[in-house]
């Protein structure tokens, strides 16, 4: 990367990227950057499936059931801290450096997990694996939204985030084979399970090397020549692929370049300039983290304890459930771009909350048995999975570009720390009672938490569908350029009618 030359510039890079038709370049972005969610789903599900095996005599790891729970908590702590640490580095050093570094950290840590010889080493590996995955969230979501055209940004983001459940299904399917002592010794199968995650991560790394740095990040940080080179290369490849000449870009943006932005200024943006948007993101992240972590971490135990499903068959039900979760963003994703963010996020959160009510009743009364319970569970999470993915999309879209990665990291970390820890603890304790009534109450609490997210979207949601990111939240550097007379009003050029909010305004 060339040395930055800072000054006030006018650029059409955002408009040029958003006008592009879908192409092989965009597929490369999806495949290279979206693989992290599959890895996360694989990791979380794999540990849940191998937990019982790790505690058995002869597993090669002298670890107790209680320590397995500690390992899960350590993974979450690592993910939260990793998101915060790498999130601020992503905004300072660039998207590409961090989405390469964090994936390498994941690869090293998950391979090391396969060679665990004692609980303390297993804990350390789980912490580092979580840190890598947490760091990925910020780097990946910010890069994806800055490279994908505005007209399809919603559906692409939702499908990529929803691919977590493909990893979850794959983790359960692998467990059926790798944990079978008919195929592998008791001390080998679980190690191979972690090794498989590393193989998948290595493939993703090879593809990811060819994904460029975000041109949006480059021009703000003084690398406008490199941003121009990357965008021109993308345009030329698409023109060759499609056999057509791209139309000219229509909008311009004037910014005052800076190599770094102080953390205090970033925090000021979230809590002073955009307080309503911050409350919205907190409600969305806490709601989805509570529901998903609470039920996901305990679904196998719930099926075995209350429906008599054997441990060997439980992964089959989890596979079916995971695939239904992936179907939600795939089927509903395009409506987030056509119908709009606000109505669809409200549908996802409030709809899943409403379906949870008959789910709790069916579970409590045992009406319809396992079939009725699974049908309602699938419908609940078909809706909720789109909402969970939309939480990441929302945090990535509605804050200025200079704060994007850290915003994702912050709201993910807080949401996971609050909902992601409280949910599993609550449901685990309720299931341990062996009584249906307490568990049904747990479902109702989850419904209330999700409903709060839906109501927050109703009052604070931002209409971001089809909008250029710089119009949804003007870059901090654009605002400064305007104050110093270096360009047009914050958010775009004077030939664009809806130029987005100024520094103290929120468009809802």
């Amino acid at each position: 990367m060339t040395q930055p030359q800072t000054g006030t510039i006018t650029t059409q890079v955002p408009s040029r990227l958003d006008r592009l038709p879908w192409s092989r370049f965009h597929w490369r972005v999806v495949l290279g950057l979206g693989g992290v969610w599959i890895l996360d789903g694989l990791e979380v599900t794999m540990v849940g499936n191998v937990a019982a095996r790790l505690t058995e005599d002869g597993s090669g790891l002298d670890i107790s059931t209680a320590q397995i729970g500690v390992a899960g908590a350590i993974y979450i702590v690592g993910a939260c801290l990793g998101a915060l640490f790498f999130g601020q580095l992503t905004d300072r050093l660039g998207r590409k450096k961090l989405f390469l570094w964090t994936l390498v950290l994941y690869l090293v840590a998950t391979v090391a997990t396969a060679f665990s010889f004692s609980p303390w080493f297993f804990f350390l590996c789980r912490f580092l694996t979580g840190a890598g995955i947490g760091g990925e969230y910020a780097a990946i979501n910010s890069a994806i939204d800055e490279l994908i055209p505005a007209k399809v940004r919603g559906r692409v983001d939702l499908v990529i985030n929803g691919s977590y459940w493909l990893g979850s299904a794959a983790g359960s399917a692998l467990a059926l084979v790798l944990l079978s002592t008919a195929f592998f010794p008791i001390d080998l199968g679980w190690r191979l399970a972690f090794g498989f995650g590393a193989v998948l991560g290595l493939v993703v790394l090879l593809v990811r090397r060819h994904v460029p740095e975000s041109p949006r990040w480059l021009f703000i940080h003084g690398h406008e020549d490199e941003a121009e080179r990357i965008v021109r290369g993308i345009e030329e490849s698409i023109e060759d692929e499609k056999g057509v000449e791209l139309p000219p870009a229509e909008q311009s943006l004037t910014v005052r370049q800076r190599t770094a932005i102080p953390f205090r200024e970033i925090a000021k943006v979230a809590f002073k300039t955009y307080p309503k948007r911050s409350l919205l993101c907190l409600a969305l992240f806490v709601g989805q983290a509570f529901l998903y972590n609470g039920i996901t971490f305990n679904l196998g135990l719930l099926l075995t304890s209350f429906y008599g499903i054997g441990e060997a068959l439980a992964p089959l039900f989890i596979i079916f459930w995971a695939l239904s979760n992936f179907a939600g963003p795939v089927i509903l994703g395009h409506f987030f771009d056509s119908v709009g963010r606000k109505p669809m996020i409200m549908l996802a959160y409030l709809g899943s909350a409403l379906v949870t009510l008959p789910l709790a009743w069916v579970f409590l009364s045992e009406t319809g048995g396992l079939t009725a319970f699974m049908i309602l569970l699938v419908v609940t999470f078909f809706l909720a999975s789109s909402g969970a993915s939309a939480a990441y999309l929302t945090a990535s879209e509605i804050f200025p570009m200079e704060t994007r990665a850290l915003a994702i990291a912050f709201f993910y970390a807080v949401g996971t720390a609050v909902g992601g820890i409280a949910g599993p603890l609550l449901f685990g304790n309720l299931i341990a009672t062996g009584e249906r009534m307490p568990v049904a109450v747990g479902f109702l609490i989850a419904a209330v938490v999700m409903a709060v997210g839906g109501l927050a979207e109703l009052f604070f949601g931002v209409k971001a569908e089809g909008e250029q990111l710089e119009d949804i939240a003007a870059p901090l550097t654009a605002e400064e350029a305007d104050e110093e007379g270096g360009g047009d009003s914050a958010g775009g050029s004077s030939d664009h009618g809806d130029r987005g909010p100024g520094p103290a305004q929120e468009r809802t």
Side-chain angles (χ1 to χ4, degrees):
M1 185 180 294
T2 59
Q3 291 297 314
Q5 299 295 321
T6 58
T8 299
I9 66 165
T10 298
T11 179
Q12 289 189 314
V13 162
S15 182
R16 289 165 67 186
L17 289 171
D18 283 335
R19 86 193 197 288
L20 297 175
W22 192 260
S23 65
R24 285 194 293 265
F25 165 76
H26 297 109
W27 278 117
R28 187 162 66 246
V29 171
V30 169
L31 295 175
L33 301 185
V36 60
W37 290 97
I38 297 177
L39 292 175
D40 189 22
L42 186 72
E43 278 292 323
V44 172
T45 306
M46 191 66 70
V47 172
N49 285 319
V50 305
R53 175 57 49 83
L54 293 176
T55 61
E56 295 178 2
D57 292 336
S59 68
L61 187 64
D62 185 17
I63 193 169
S64 67
T65 302
Q67 288 174 318
I68 291 293
V70 172
I74 287 176
Y75 176 85
I76 291 176
V77 171
C80 292
L81 294 179
L84 292 172
F85 176 72
F86 291 115
Q88 55 93 19
L89 289 181
T90 299
D91 282 331
R92 291 178 63 88
L93 304 180
R95 300 357 181 176
K96 183 164 185 173
K97 284 183 179 179
L98 270 297
F99 67 59
L100 291 176
W101 293 354
T102 53
L103 182 55
V104 169
L105 174 59
Y106 163 81
L107 286 171
V108 172
T110 197
V111 168
T113 304
F115 293 92
S116 294
F117 53 86
S118 67
W120 73 264
F121 187 80
F122 186 75
F123 295 158
L124 175 62
C125 292
R126 297 311 297 158
F127 176 84
L128 294 175
T129 303
I133 290 292
E136 286 272 286
Y137 290 156
I140 295 308
N141 278 280
S142 55
I144 288 172
D145 285 347
E146 290 170 8
L147 290 170
I148 297 297
K151 60 181 176 293
V152 296
R153 187 173 61 238
R155 72 193 73 180
V156 171
D157 204 300
L158 257 69
V159 171
I160 288 176
N161 283 278
S163 64
Y164 171 98
W165 298 104
L166 290 180
S168 179
S172 295
L174 279 171
L176 291 173
V177 177
L178 295 177
L179 298 185
S180 173
T181 54
F183 298 105
F184 300 100
I186 192 173
D187 62 343
L188 178 61
W190 68 268
R191 299 182 188 276
L192 294 177
F194 287 107
F196 182 85
V199 172
L200 179 58
L202 184 59
V203 173
V204 172
L205 180 62
L206 294 176
V207 177
R208 188 174 289 184
R209 290 174 58 249
H210 301 289
V211 176
E213 177 60 87
S214 165
R216 283 177 155 103
W217 183 89
L218 286 168
F219 73 71
I220 279 184
H221 287 80
H223 303 283
E224 65 271 21
D225 291 340
E226 187 170 355
E228 174 64 28
R229 178 185 62 79
I230 290 174
V231 174
R232 189 186 309 116
I234 296 171
E235 291 172 332
E236 291 174 353
S237 68
I238 291 177
E239 288 181 335
D240 291 341
E241 175 187 342
K242 304 293 184 181
V244 297
E245 184 175 343
L246 293 172
E250 297 181 353
Q251 296 173 236
S252 299
L253 176 71
T254 299
V255 298
R256 185 166 76 85
Q257 300 166 310
R258 292 170 61 176
T259 56
I261 297 175
F263 183 82
R264 64 180 180 277
E265 188 172 341
I266 295 174
K268 175 184 174 182
V269 170
F271 297 105
K272 185 175 180 180
T273 307
Y274 295 114
K276 294 179 182 178
R277 297 186 181 192
S278 297
L279 289 174
L280 169 64
C281 289
L282 284 174
L284 294 179
F285 271 92
V286 170
Q288 63 88 19
F290 184 91
L291 179 71
Y292 264 101
N293 287 278
I295 294 180
T296 300
F297 288 175
N298 295 285
L299 182 56
L301 183 59
L302 190 150
L303 291 173
T304 57
S305 300
F306 293 97
Y307 288 99
I309 302 300
E311 292 182 1
L313 291 178
L316 293 176
F317 288 88
I318 295 176
I319 291 172
F320 174 72
W321 175 70
L323 292 176
S324 72
N325 276 267
F326 179 62
V330 171
I331 295 174
L332 299 178
H334 70 98
F335 294 114
F336 283 74
D337 288 317
S338 57
V339 176
R341 303 286 199 265
K342 288 185 69 171
M344 291 307 298
I345 294 176
M346 287 169 55
L347 172 65
Y349 275 78
L350 295 177
S352 60
L354 288 174
V355 180
T356 303
L357 301 180
L359 173 67
W361 179 78
V362 163
F363 176 80
L364 180 62
S365 64
E366 302 184 56
T367 302
L370 178 61
T371 300
F373 175 77
M374 286 301 300
I375 289 174
L376 287 171
L377 188 72
V378 163
V379 174
T380 298
F381 283 90
F382 174 83
L383 294 171
S385 60
S386 294
S389 296
Y392 293 90
L393 171 65
T394 299
S396 180
E397 286 184 320
I398 65 177
F399 293 99
M401 200 206 74
E402 299 92 334
T403 70
R404 181 165 293 123
L406 188 57
I408 299 167
F410 174 78
F411 293 113
Y412 161 77
V414 174
T416 301
V418 177
I421 294 176
L425 287 176
L426 176 65
F427 273 93
N429 287 324
L430 295 178
I431 292 172
T433 65
E435 301 291 335
R436 287 182 178 267
M437 177 59 79
V439 179
V441 171
F443 283 125
L444 297 179
I445 294 174
V448 171
V449 177
M450 286 295 286
V452 170
L455 292 175
E457 182 66 31
L458 171 63
F459 292 108
F460 304 139
V462 179
K463 297 178 181 179
E465 60 275 4
E467 293 285 346
Q468 189 170 293
L469 292 171
E470 291 73 18
D471 288 341
I472 301 169
L476 304 180
T477 45
E479 295 169 2
E480 291 188 358
D482 180 56
E483 291 169 2
E484 297 185 13
D488 301 315
S489 68
S493 64
S494 59
D495 63 353
H496 185 56
D498 182 7
R499 290 172 293 188
Q505 175 186 355
E506 296 185 359
R507 182 182 59 197
T508 59

